[in-house]
Amino acid sequence: MNWKDTYQKWANFSELDVNLSEQLKQMVHSEKELEDAFYKQLSFGTGGMRGILGPGTNRMNVYTVRKAVEGLANYLEGNVAGYQSRGVAVSYDSRYMSKEFAIETAKVLAAHNIKTYIVETLRPTPLLSFAVRHLGAAAGVMITASHNPPEYNGFKVYNEDGGQLPLAQAEAVISKVNAVSNELTVAVENQTQIEKSGLLEWVGEEVDNAYLDKLKTISVRKADGQIKSDLNIVFTPLHGTAYHLVMLGLKQLGFTSVHVVEEQAVPDPEFSTVTSPNPEEHQAFTMAIEKGLKTDADILFGTDPDADRLGVAVKDGKGSYQVLSGNQLGTLMFDYLMRHTPVEKRNNGRLIKTIVTSEMGRAVASHYGVETIDTLTGFKFIGEKIKQFETTDELFLFGYEESYGYLIGDFVRDKDAVQAAMVACEMAQYWKKQGKTLLDALETLYEEHGFFIEQMDSLTLKGKDGAEQIQAIMKDIRANPIKQFGELNVVAVEDYKTSERTVIATSEVEAIELPKENVLKFILEKNSWVCLRPSGTEPKIKSYYGVCSQSKEESQALVKQLTGTMQSRINSSH
């Protein structure tokens, strides 16, 4: 079918959801809008699917969700033992239609006689990962679009280990989803009936309490003899899911001076007090900083809507607060944890980071005698490595990525802002006792290991045309690779699409032992690098930069050279 035929199929469907039918009628005079809604199936990728809410095969709605669940059910039938009785755990965030999509998931699974556990009210993504493991479920589903704009929602799938699907499993699920021929006619059961029959069970405090018990195990404060804390904290959940678990977690660790940004503690699908509910963007801290100044807080932290990302700001010595980058916070937390980890655990321990995460983590790991493992971008690859450690003598110590994702305890298999918030506060308390802020601690690490500076730029290109432009940029730079960034020559080019690393001086080609992905990385002189990749979850192409030198000024100058070269090239490629 072409998109017009698909549109007609929906428009003529007599049982079409009333709200979606009304929206379709409002779109009828905009051919471009209709084409974008129907020109393709909403992509179900390795991390699930994410899209704009509304009618159409390229939108998030009850029918595209049903299609995804139908594919998942068909996958479970042939691949996971005891899947019907073990069931599927489901959680959801504060977005429009999140709870409705969770219930639709249960209604489709019930048609396959598969039990569903749904949280009674919105809960974080990391709790969903934990719930899969705690309940022994066959799979998990999280309804979230993370920090995307309000018009988005999404559907993330987790395997029985509680991790996002590794590539082989994802491809198998994707094939089952794509095999569903008509999303409008997927069989569903009645909600009331499946609640009565036990095929839908609402999950309450049991999973929360089990998670909170595990949360205690990542604490090192008892070893320091610290039970009560004088740390002054400001917390904002940015209208999302983190409030309940974060507040209980802080209380049980002895943090009692917690000031919540009340206006942002209320779940709100519009995220009405921020431009974007993303702690990576400094504007998200505006209200937290205001409260921090009023309360003289030592540390401010914010979580994104599904509470898998954490941002932190600390006193800057100039009467305000500085937001730490994901690389800085990750390095600080890892250093803090290693200071409290016995040598015998460090010997077999592993730090896991992504290929676009700062090399400073590797330098700190080396200092403590810890090996670093690199993965592709995406926490699913870190979760997959943790699973592999169960069959080796390797010990997971810490995992992180530059985009504010961290994991300390492997009872969760995805990034966990609740865990990270606990460690960030403990760490701030530790350095406060030494008479230092986190910025002081960071400066010491720079002096010991070098002045690492990183930057990430992104270009948003929406819709069908935008997706084509992103592919054109990648194709052009592959065909005509950049040989010099500012004054720095390219030493090697890593193409993860072909899994090849080409050394420029010798033309020698080496294999990259990682899964294939549409990513280019340029290794430069002076411990510098540049990486280019299309986002897997947003209509963006992202550029990452990393440098290291003996002074902050030199590193800043190097970053400026790298960004100038790449931005100029991208602009000329589309």
Side-chain angles (χ1 to χ4, degrees), residues 335-538:
D335 172 74
Y336 167 73
L337 291 166
M338 291 307 95
R339 288 171 183 267
H340 297 84
T341 299
V343 173
E344 59 271 19
K345 286 186 71 175
R346 299 202 303 250
N347 288 340
N348 289 329
R350 301 291 182 265
L351 167 69
I352 311 177
K353 71 176 193 67
T354 73
I355 59 172
V356 296
T357 300
S358 173
E359 288 298 300
M360 192 172 182
R362 191 188 310 278
V364 173
S366 179
H367 172 75
Y368 287 106
V370 172
E371 183 181 325
T372 300
I373 295 175
D374 288 297
T375 71
L376 292 176
T377 306
F379 229 87
K380 60 179 173 285
F381 297 108
I382 294 176
E384 191 175 7
K385 277 293 177 188
I386 297 171
K387 176 65 175 175
Q388 290 173 12
F389 290 171
E390 294 177 1
T391 60
T392 70
D393 63 352
E394 296 166 289
L395 181 67
F396 172 72
L397 296 176
F398 187 67
Y400 77 117
E401 56 187 3
E402 95 302 331
S403 55
Y404 287 53
Y406 318 96
L407 182 65
I408 300 96
D410 65 2
F411 52 90
V412 168
R413 296 297 168 90
D414 202 355
K415 52 186 177 286
D416 187 343
V418 183
Q419 286 191 33
M422 303 303 114
V423 171
C425 290
E426 285 199 359
M427 176 174 65
Q429 173 71 54
Y430 170 81
W431 286 114
K432 185 177 180 180
K433 280 187 66 181
Q434 319 292 322
K436 296 182 178 181
T437 68
L438 292 183
L439 289 178
D440 296 328
L442 183 63
E443 194 67 22
T444 300
L445 289 178
Y446 284 141
E447 290 168 1
E448 291 177 357
H449 303 291
F451 284 85
F452 289 81
I453 293 182
E454 297 79 30
Q455 184 171 317
M456 190 278 287
D457 296 328
S458 65
L459 174 64
T460 300
L461 296 165
K462 294 183 178 180
K464 181 182 178 183
D465 293 343
E468 292 171 351
Q469 288 180 67
I470 288 171
Q471 293 306 313
I473 292 168
M474 294 299 295
K475 184 178 180 181
D476 175 56
I477 295 178
R478 268 199 178 86
N480 306 285
I482 304 168
K483 297 178 180 178
Q484 191 172 1
F485 287 80
E487 65 185 35
L488 299 182
N489 292 316
V490 176
V491 175
V493 178
E494 296 178 345
D495 190 338
Y496 290 84
K497 192 172 185 179
T498 60
S499 297
E500 292 179 339
R501 183 180 195 269
T502 304
V503 180
I504 301 302
T506 62
S507 298
E508 181 183 357
V509 178
E510 304 167 352
I512 297 174
E513 300 299 330
L514 287 173
K516 294 181 186 298
E517 192 165 272
N518 189 15
V519 177
L520 281 171
K521 188 172 184 179
F522 298 90
I523 311 301
L524 314 177
E525 299 170 310
K526 294 188 177 181
N527 298 313
S528 301
W529 56 271
V530 177
C531 191
L532 186 67
R533 61 177 285 269
S535 171
T537 56
E538 301 171 281

Side-chain angles (χ1 to χ4, degrees), residues 10 13 15-20 49 53-56 59-70 97 99-105 107-108 155 183-186 188:
W10 276 58
F13 184 58
E15 299 176 26
L16 192 70
D17 175 85
V18 174
N19 291 329
L20 293 176
M49 63 183 186
L53 290 159
R59 295 288 185 264
M60 283 290 297
N61 52 63
V62 293
Y63 301 107
T64 52
V65 167
R66 288 175 182 177
K67 178 178 178 176
V69 182
E70 181 74 6
M97 297 297 293
K99 188 171 184 178
E100 289 87 344
F101 290 161
I103 293 169
E104 289 298 325
T105 299
K107 288 161 62 176
V108 174
F155 180 97
E183 64 282 343
L184 298 175
T185 57
V186 171
V188 294

Side-chain angles (χ1 to χ4, degrees), residues 82-87 113-115 117:
Y83 69 98
Q84 289 178 314
S85 58
R86 292 171 64 191
N113 203 34
I114 301 172
K115 181 167 184 160
Y117 301 90

Side-chain angles (χ1 to χ4, degrees), residues 1 3 30 35 64 94 96 162 220 226-227 240 279 284 309 318 324 354 381 393 417 428 452 545:
M1 287 188 183
W3 73 263
S30 174
E35 181 182 10
T64 52
S94 56
Y96 290 117
V220 300
Q226 299 176 20
I227 300 301
R309 297 172 194 256
K318 301 175 184 176
L324 297 174
T354 73
F381 297 108
D393 63 352
F452 289 81
Y545 311 91

Side-chain angles (χ1 to χ4, degrees), residues 18-34:
V18 174
N19 291 329
L20 293 176
S21 179
E22 187 58 36
Q23 290 176 58
L24 265 188
K25 290 175 184 176
Q26 294 172 9
M27 294 163 59
V28 72
H29 299 298
S30 174
E31 183 165 303
K32 187 173 181 60
E33 191 177 357
L34 283 173

Side-chain angles (χ1 to χ4, degrees), residues 152-383:
Y152 281 78
N153 211 328
F155 180 97
K156 292 175 70 173
V157 178
Y158 289 76
N159 64 13
E160 59 186 324
D161 188 52
Q164 294 184 50
L165 299 179
L167 293 177
Q169 289 182 0
E171 288 169 1
V173 172
I174 290 167
S175 69
K176 294 293 186 180
V177 173
N178 291 340
V180 178
S181 59
N182 189 347
E183 64 282 343
L184 298 175
T185 57
V186 171
V188 294
E189 296 293 331
N190 176 271
Q191 179 183 342
T192 302
Q193 292 301 317
I194 62 177
E195 287 174 334
K196 287 181 179 178
S197 69
L199 281 175
L200 168 52
E201 181 176 330
W202 296 94
V203 176
E205 293 183 353
E206 178 213 342
V207 174
D208 287 354
N209 292 335
Y211 174 86
L212 289 165
D213 283 343
K214 288 289 189 181
L215 199 61
K216 296 174 187 175
T217 66
I218 68 171
S219 171
V220 300
R221 296 182 69 233
K222 290 181 181 178
D224 286 343
Q226 299 176 20
I227 300 301
K228 294 184 179 179
S229 168
D230 63 350
L231 193 72
N232 203 4
I233 301 167
V234 166
F235 163 48
T236 173
L238 294 176
H239 302 295
T241 61
Y243 179 83
H244 178 72
L245 287 177
V246 165
M247 294 300 288
L248 290 174
L250 289 173
K251 183 179 179 181
Q252 73 180 11
L253 291 180
F255 295 103
T256 56
S257 182
V258 184
H259 308 275
V260 178
V261 181
E262 298 294 346
E263 301 93 327
Q264 296 176 332
V266 180
D268 175 10
E270 284 293 326
F271 310 111
S272 52
T273 66
V274 290
T275 305
S276 168
N278 184 359
E280 288 183 82
E281 299 181 19
H282 293 185
Q283 56 77 29
F285 279 90
T286 301
M287 297 182 77
I289 289 173
E290 290 174 1
K291 199 167 193 76
L293 292 170
K294 290 178 182 176
T295 58
D296 191 31
D298 298 300
I299 184 172
L300 325 174
F301 70 87
T303 52
D304 71 339
D306 66 324
D308 62 357
R309 297 172 194 256
L310 177 81
V312 165
V314 292
K315 287 179 177 176
D316 63 3
K318 301 175 184 176
S320 190
Y321 293 87
Q322 179 177 321
V323 180
L324 297 174
S325 73
N327 285 310
Q328 290 171 333
L329 181 57
T331 302
L332 280 165
M333 286 200 291
F334 178 61
D335 172 74
Y336 167 73
L337 291 166
M338 291 307 95
R339 288 171 183 267
H340 297 84
T341 299
V343 173
E344 59 271 19
K345 286 186 71 175
R346 299 202 303 250
N347 288 340
N348 289 329
R350 301 291 182 265
L351 167 69
I352 311 177
K353 71 176 193 67
T354 73
I355 59 172
V356 296
T357 300
S358 173
E359 288 298 300
M360 192 172 182
R362 191 188 310 278
V364 173
S366 179
H367 172 75
Y368 287 106
V370 172
E371 183 181 325
T372 300
I373 295 175
D374 288 297
T375 71
L376 292 176
T377 306
F379 229 87
K380 60 179 173 285
F381 297 108
I382 294 176

